Amino acid sequence: HGKKLAGQGRVRVGCAVCWSICGVCFVLAWILQGLLFWMWTMNCSSGNLKGYNYPGGGTSALGGGAYNLVPKIALLRERVPQWYGTAFDVIPSNAASTISEAPVGSAWKMWGPIFDTYVYQDVQNSQETIYMRRNLFRLGMSHRICRCDGKGPEIWIEEGSNYMTNLVRHGFGMSQAVTFKLYVNDDFVATVEETNYGMPSITFVTVAKKLADKHELSSSILKNPLSKTPYNDEWLVSNFKTTTLPFWVPTMSTVIFAFAMIGTDRTKGGHTAKAAFLVNATAMTFEEEPLASMIEEEE
């Protein structure tokens, strides 16, 4: 009986030690996450951006560079990774999807033990103007996108109630497999849908009761899906005349999806859904229409 009690005591002690180690690791992970998030976003503040001119931002009916922050049409070109993170250059483009100017900024993904941090930094002053991170304790994928100066809307993209439907559609290999919701200041304004087969591509579509009332706001497409050259991904992001969103919303949403697609095999079906579910990427569909007829050329 004494040996049995001694054995039980050792088990309890072992469990206590194990739980203590897990607790210490959990606390240390959160401390490290907090330090890294602070370090990645230390220049992302309203104080640093007071009176800032926001170079590289395009012009729309809703506002100028200070409102849109990034070009109306942009190429996202993958960079060679650095030890502290990976990035896509943001390069102004046109309806012909060619380079029109030098890069105006870079969208970075920085590692964290609990969630990754994304920031957009302009080239002219190396100033952060946008940040993104994953929303914790949410069902399925959920990210927030915010301006560093605190102005403008707060954007949320998440699966929410579509989570189970997405699993079923993805499992059956449907062409349109995953649907996300786009919120602007808590208002559900657009759906974000992802194709399961074909070219990796993205489209924002307005929310409306009637199909005839729906229209596209913007789209993105991977230009070289079959390329096997490392660090060679290139996305074209286009905002249309009908957009009611700042240009930085589709651009930064595409950045999340673009990072998810790095290293995946695009020659097989189900590539985009696989990336979206494994790394919580944002994904959408693309309906082919001539860009020249949908994009309002800037003067």
Side-chain angles (χ1 to χ4, degrees), residues 2-232:
K3 292 181 178 180
K4 183 177 180 180
L5 291 176
Q8 292 175 348
R10 286 193 293 270
V11 171
R12 286 195 293 269
V13 171
C15 290
V17 171
C18 182
W19 280 108
S20 297
I21 293 174
C22 290
V24 170
C25 291
F26 180 77
V27 172
L28 290 177
W30 272 105
I31 293 174
L32 178 60
Q33 179 65 67
L35 289 174
L36 289 175
F37 183 74
W38 172 81
M39 183 170 66
W40 303 142
T41 61
M42 61 187 302
N43 293 322
C44 181
S45 66
S46 57
N48 287 341
L49 293 168
K50 187 176 182 180
Y52 198 59
N53 63 348
Y54 297 95
T59 301
S60 68
L62 301 175
Y67 176 78
N68 290 301
L69 305 186
V70 298
K72 183 175 186 177
I73 312 174
L75 292 172
L76 305 181
R77 179 167 290 179
E78 184 182 1
R79 271 183 166 189
V80 176
Q82 305 295 320
W83 67 268
Y84 48 85
T86 56
F88 279 84
D89 284 328
V90 179
I91 308 170
S93 184
N94 48 44
S97 71
T98 58
I99 295 175
S100 62
E101 298 177 36
V104 296
S106 298
W108 288 87
K109 176 184 177 182
M110 311 296 193
W111 177 84
I114 299 173
F115 58 82
D116 295 326
T117 302
Y118 303 80
V119 296
Y120 173 76
Q121 183 183 78
D122 65 43
V123 168
Q124 187 174 111
N125 302 301
S126 298
Q127 174 61 53
E128 290 82 2
T129 57
I130 309 168
Y131 80 92
M132 304 185 294
R133 72 169 181 84
R134 183 180 178 182
N135 295 315
L136 303 178
F137 311 115
R138 299 281 174 171
L139 185 62
M141 189 284 296
S142 179
H143 283 79
R144 70 177 64 188
I145 313 174
C146 301
R147 293 175 57 120
C148 291
D149 58 10
K151 299 177 182 179
E154 180 175 289
I155 307 298
W156 285 49
I157 298 179
E158 64 180 18
E159 288 184 87
S161 59
N162 293 332
Y163 179 70
M164 294 305 300
T165 305
N166 288 343
L167 287 178
V168 173
R169 294 180 66 89
H170 172 61
F172 279 97
M174 296 182 178
S175 294
Q176 192 276 298
V178 184
T179 300
F180 301 92
K181 297 179 179 180
L182 173 67
Y183 292 89
V184 177
N185 291 334
D186 298 326
D187 293 326
F188 178 32
V189 301
T191 57
V192 181
E193 302 172 347
E194 179 244 357
T195 52
N196 199 30
Y197 292 89
M199 302 215 22
S201 51
I202 298 176
T203 291
F204 290 77
V205 181
T206 56
V207 175
K209 294 182 178 180
K210 297 181 180 180
L211 292 178
D213 295 332
K214 293 185 177 181
H215 61 270
E216 295 180 2
L217 302 175
S218 59
S219 71
S220 304
I221 188 167
L222 180 61
K223 293 184 60 181
N224 52 349
L226 301 182
S227 174
K228 295 184 179 181
T229 305
Y231 320 123
N232 192 45

Side-chain angles (χ1 to χ4, degrees), residues 78-79 81 86 88 109 200 222 224-235 256-268 271-272 274-275 278-279:
E78 184 182 1
R79 271 183 166 189
T86 56
F88 279 84
K109 176 184 177 182
L222 180 61
N224 52 349
L226 301 182
S227 174
K228 295 184 179 181
T229 305
Y231 320 123
N232 192 45
D233 283 4
E234 185 174 272
W235 290 79
I256 303 175
F257 185 54
F259 277 118
M261 286 294 298
I262 292 176
T264 59
D265 186 356
R266 290 76 175 268
T267 62
K268 299 178 181 179
H271 47 272
T272 54
K274 177 181 178 181
L278 291 182
V279 294

